Amino acid sequence: MKSLQPELERRKQAHLYRARRVYDSPQGPEGVVDGRHVLSFCSNDYLGLANHPEVIAAMQRGAETYGAGSGAAHLVSGHSRAHHVLEEELAEFTGRPRALLFSTGYMANLGVMSALLGRGDSVYEDRLNHASLIDGGLLSRANFKRYAHADMDALQSQLQGHAKGEALVAIDGVFSMDGDIAPLDRMATLCRGADAWLMVDDAHGFGVLGEQGRGTIDRFNLGLKEVPIMMGTLGKAVGTSGAFVAGSDELIETLIQQARSYIFTTATPPAVAEATRASLRLVQKDEWRRERLKTLIGQFRQGAEEIGLPLMESETPIQPIVAGTSEQALKWSRQLEGEGIQISAIRPPTVPEGSARLRITFSASHTPEHVERLLEVLSGLELSEA
């Protein structure tokens, strides 16, 4: 058996080694990480609901009612009333006939593509899609085709060349590392013209964009006909855990019958479903959370412009600063850490070679003072080295 140490050393030398941090506090703008108090700008808890008292209380009641675990997969004995009602509420919220819970967004994406596609079919993806979409496409055994980021002319050309089998276009509603929004309106038109499914992974749009936080699809005023498959995660803006797929009755029934990542996985604890139901009500009710996010993002972008900080085009809570090399991104991250600010360095293969970055994310729990502190520290970074 070969030693694994040389590869680990190679990663360290290439500035690609990853290390976990230990949190001793709940999710929030301020917390204790590795024993130090930090101001964090690297969580996906966009609406600040992960530590909300109503969500915590709902989880506690759920544990008292259902216990700590689900005990089995959904199709055995693990599908509780809490799961069932949450699926109904997600379907109603997204304006779709049905919804189906998955343990993670990764498993949802793998499940959808493996259930709907196979040899002889084709899947089309943006080069900056999330790893779960890429892996789902590859594992489906369909013909896997990629196009340059947001290049709709390239996608149109590829779809026009589709000759046989099923076709599915999979896309991030909001790109997780760049923060930009996919051109879903044009994509929907292209897919309908090519008789292809359009699947939107709205992990970073659900809860943040659209009316009451219904997501990127709602922002473009698209419906079930234009976007037959919607995937949303519950561990980001919703603040709990898990994911769901929403669509037609026949889609959901097909996934129940054929999605291996659904069939062969223990269901999430019912207490998590109860917490998610409470959080979903807050997502719909608390419009001020999305308004505060917009205000904080605007404050940050204006301040960044004033200090000459190069930002990418993004109106979402994801605001990246590209460093270029992994070494530079790590250097910036460590400089920030020294000032008590936590922002992770994102490096290949999460992002393409040459585009390592700081991925700054905002939460409705941040304050204007937090943003001012961030800008103050960022102004001291040696940006000229990027």
Side-chain angles (χ1 to χ4, degrees), residues 29-30 39 41 341 365-375:
E30 299 185 52
L39 174 58
F41 289 93
I341 292 180
S365 294
H366 283 121
T367 66
E369 290 74 24
H370 289 149
V371 178
E372 285 301 318
R373 174 58 182 159
L374 172 63
L375 289 166

Side-chain angles (χ1 to χ4, degrees), residues 328-377:
Q328 183 63 60
L330 280 172
K331 180 179 180 180
W332 285 354
S333 181
R334 288 165 181 161
Q335 285 179 332
L336 289 164
E337 186 177 352
E339 297 291 335
I341 292 180
Q342 186 189 24
I343 302 174
S344 299
I346 307 297
R347 294 155 287 161
T350 306
V351 293
E353 290 287 346
S355 67
R357 67 196 61 188
L358 298 178
R359 179 182 181 269
I360 299 170
T361 55
F362 291 97
S363 167
S365 294
H366 283 121
T367 66
E369 290 74 24
H370 289 149
V371 178
E372 285 301 318
R373 174 58 182 159
L374 172 63
L375 289 166
E376 176 188 352
V377 176

Side-chain angles (χ1 to χ4, degrees), residues 68-274:
S70 62
H74 284 277
L75 290 175
V76 183
S77 61
H79 189 66
S80 71
R81 175 62 59 183
H83 294 123
H84 202 73
V85 175
L86 174 57
E87 288 179 342
E88 293 175 337
E89 292 172 349
L90 285 166
E92 181 179 3
F93 181 52
T94 58
R96 288 161 181 262
R98 289 182 65 182
L100 185 69
L101 291 172
F102 283 80
S103 297
T104 67
Y106 207 112
M107 296 177 70
N109 285 339
L110 265 61
V112 169
M113 292 194 218
S114 64
L116 299 183
L117 301 173
R119 289 191 177 93
D121 298 325
S122 297
V123 58
Y124 304 86
E125 299 204 22
D126 191 293
R127 286 195 174 275
L128 296 188
N129 269 0
H130 189 266
S132 60
L133 287 173
I134 294 170
D135 288 356
L138 292 171
L139 292 172
S140 73
R141 298 179 295 179
N143 298 318
F144 186 78
K145 301 180 180 180
R146 301 172 76 181
Y147 55 90
H149 180 51
D151 188 339
M152 293 298 96
D153 291 337
L155 175 59
Q156 182 177 18
S157 178
Q158 289 181 351
L159 286 172
Q160 286 173 343
H162 178 74
K164 60 181 181 178
E166 299 293 343
L168 183 147
V169 176
I171 191 71
D172 281 296
V174 174
F175 288 91
S176 60
M177 293 299 121
D178 285 21
D180 56 330
I181 300 171
L184 296 186
D185 48 356
R186 185 166 179 201
M187 296 187 78
T189 300
L190 293 176
C191 287
R192 294 192 72 180
D195 194 26
W197 280 308
L198 177 56
M199 173 183 177
V200 176
D201 175 339
D202 209 20
H204 298 274
F206 186 68
V208 176
L209 302 175
E211 184 180 357
Q212 294 186 303
R214 287 184 172 86
T216 314
I217 299 169
D218 182 82
R219 182 183 185 274
F220 284 96
N221 197 30
L222 301 173
L224 184 65
K225 289 183 179 179
E226 293 83 11
V227 183
I229 309 168
M230 173 190 180
M231 194 284 282
T233 54
L234 305 170
K236 297 179 175 65
V238 180
T240 56
S241 181
F244 69 94
V245 175
S248 67
D249 182 76
E250 65 179 13
L251 170 67
I252 300 306
E253 280 301 315
T254 298
L255 296 180
I256 291 173
Q257 304 304 318
Q258 297 179 204
R260 293 167 67 85
S261 59
Y262 175 81
I263 298 169
F264 299 108
T265 302
T266 298
T268 55
V272 174
E274 286 295 293

